[in-house]
Amino acid sequence: MDTNTNFTLAIEDLTVSFDGFKAVDALNFYLDKNELHVVIGPNGAGKTTVLDLICGKTKSTEGSIKFLNKELTKMAEHEIVRAGVGRKFQTPSIYENLSVLENLEISYPYGRGVYGSLTFKRNKTVLDKIHEIAKQIMLDDALDTEAGLLSHGQKQWLEIGMLLIQDPQLLMLDEPVAGMSVKEREQTAELLNKISEGRSVLVIEHDMEFVERIADKVTVLHQGKILATGDMETVQNDPKVIEVYLGH
Ligand SMILES: Nc1ncnc2c1ncn2[C@@H]1O[C@H](COP(=O)(O)OP(=O)(O)OP(=O)(O)O)[C@@H](O)[C@H]1O
Ligand SMILES: [Mg+2]
């Protein structure tokens, strides 16, 4: 296929084996700009491993991952972040002792712009950006609050904000609504729908009600392979998907 160049992310024939066990097995996967794609599937299907491969945490055995035409399989983790890939892990990694504002500031990509790393100071540009992001993540009234005092859901949003402030072209979230209240899930769905404008978002999630609210496309992974892919309705009605995943 020579269609890769049109996609933000094009994964082809991606395989990783751990002592002969193929956790991801000849995977082909494409992601467009403005697309919010959710990956679902049973425990151990290889979902988190796919994110690990994209962000360079795990090295592939075979295959390619092209992101904006850069080959990620040849790049180090920090280079992949700099290229515009943001990844949120299952447990939020925020600084509990710092305020919301300080957490966002620490994530600001100082030194990447024309001014270089010498201008590490809180100027108006930075503050404006922090306020813009805080509003998006519904924490604009909590900028001075110590992050450790936030609710579980708010902590998850803060971590999303810490990624957004770096303006990634690809944002990856692993089970973002696990442990959230019903209200927080609804607010997170709205947030994700907004932040997929202008970028690509890849989400792993088990909560099907949530998936239905956010997904442009759904891919079902099973034993490292794609079982089905398409819109929510197509996937939900696929007999293979019902058998291995939704029927449980
Ligand atoms: N670094 C590793 N070394 C060895 N085996 C691994 C490694 N990472 C993942 N695996 C194995 O690969 C398989 C897929 O794991 P993965 O975490 O990707 O599943 P998952 O789809 O995210 O599952 P869950 O829904 O439970 O989070 C599992 O059998 C896991 O034990
Ligand atoms: Mg996982």
Side-chain angles (χ1 to χ4, degrees):
M1 252 189 263
D2 58 353
T3 51
N4 324 5
T5 45
N6 301 321
F7 293 100
T8 300
L9 183 75
I11 294 180
E12 294 190 328
D13 297 323
L14 188 68
T15 298
V16 65
S17 51
F18 300 118
D19 299 321
F21 165 73
K22 288 181 177 174
V24 173
D25 192 356
L27 181 76
N28 292 309
F29 182 88
Y30 304 90
L31 194 56
D32 265 324
K33 192 170 176 176
N34 298 312
E35 180 180 331
L36 196 165
H37 200 128
V38 184
V39 177
I40 61 173
N43 297 116
K47 305 181 295 297
T48 299
T49 306
V50 171
L51 298 199
D52 290 344
L53 287 161
I54 296 168
C55 77
K57 187 170 175 257
T58 298
K59 287 292 161 201
S60 61
T61 312
E62 269 177 73
S64 85
I65 306 172
K66 286 215 173 65
F67 168 70
L68 302 173
N69 296 316
K70 288 193 178 104
E71 180 55 62
L72 298 188
T73 55
K74 296 189 171 74
M75 289 162 64
E77 267 183 273
H78 70 276
E79 293 172 327
I80 294 172
V81 171
R82 285 208 161 203
V85 178
R87 191 251 176 107
K88 190 193 168 311
F89 288 86
Q90 272 168 280
T91 43
S93 52
I94 56 168
Y95 300 93
E96 303 250 334
N97 302 325
L98 299 183
S99 69
V100 168
L101 187 145
E102 288 164 336
N103 268 280
L104 290 171
E105 187 185 18
I106 247 174
S107 310
Y108 188 86
Y110 283 107
R112 277 202 227 164
V114 282
Y115 302 112
S117 55
L118 294 173
T119 52
F120 190 93
K121 67 173 198 288
R122 195 183 285 174
N123 60 31
K124 188 169 183 303
T125 313
V126 177
L127 273 176
D128 284 352
K129 187 74 187 170
I130 290 173
H131 280 99
E132 178 200 321
I133 299 293
K135 198 161 181 220
Q136 258 192 324
I137 58 171
M138 299 158 285
L139 291 176
D140 44 334
D141 290 334
L143 277 170
D144 297 325
T145 305
E146 211 176 281
L149 300 174
L150 298 173
S151 74
H152 170 74
Q154 289 174 319
K155 287 180 185 172
Q156 302 281 351
W157 297 339
L158 177 55
E159 200 187 1
I160 292 173
M162 291 165 74
L163 294 168
L164 284 177
I165 206 162
Q166 304 179 42
D167 203 19
Q169 285 308 293
L170 170 62
L171 187 61
M172 307 194 287
L173 310 162
D174 200 344
E175 303 194 22
V177 296
M180 278 191 189
S181 69
V182 174
K183 178 92 170 56
E184 285 174 335
R185 279 166 200 244
E186 286 172 11
Q187 290 173 298
T188 306
E190 267 177 52
L191 172 64
L192 295 194
N193 283 324
K194 266 187 230 139
I195 63 181
S196 62
E197 287 166 18
R199 61 166 62 85
S200 307
V201 181
L202 182 52
V203 179
I204 294 175
E205 196 42 72
H206 284 288
D207 180 337
M208 292 309 289
E209 213 173 295
F210 180 74
V211 175
E212 195 156 10
R213 277 174 194 270
I214 61 165
D216 297 317
K217 270 193 195 167
V218 178
T219 288
V220 188
L221 210 61
H222 178 52
Q223 297 176 344
K225 289 192 164 107
I226 292 179
L227 194 65
T229 189
D231 60 31
M232 182 74 178
E233 211 191 326
T234 309
V235 164
Q236 260 178 327
N237 292 312
D238 188 309
K240 295 189 301 286
V241 176
I242 295 168
E243 190 191 325
V244 310
Y245 185 60
L246 296 175
H248 292 271

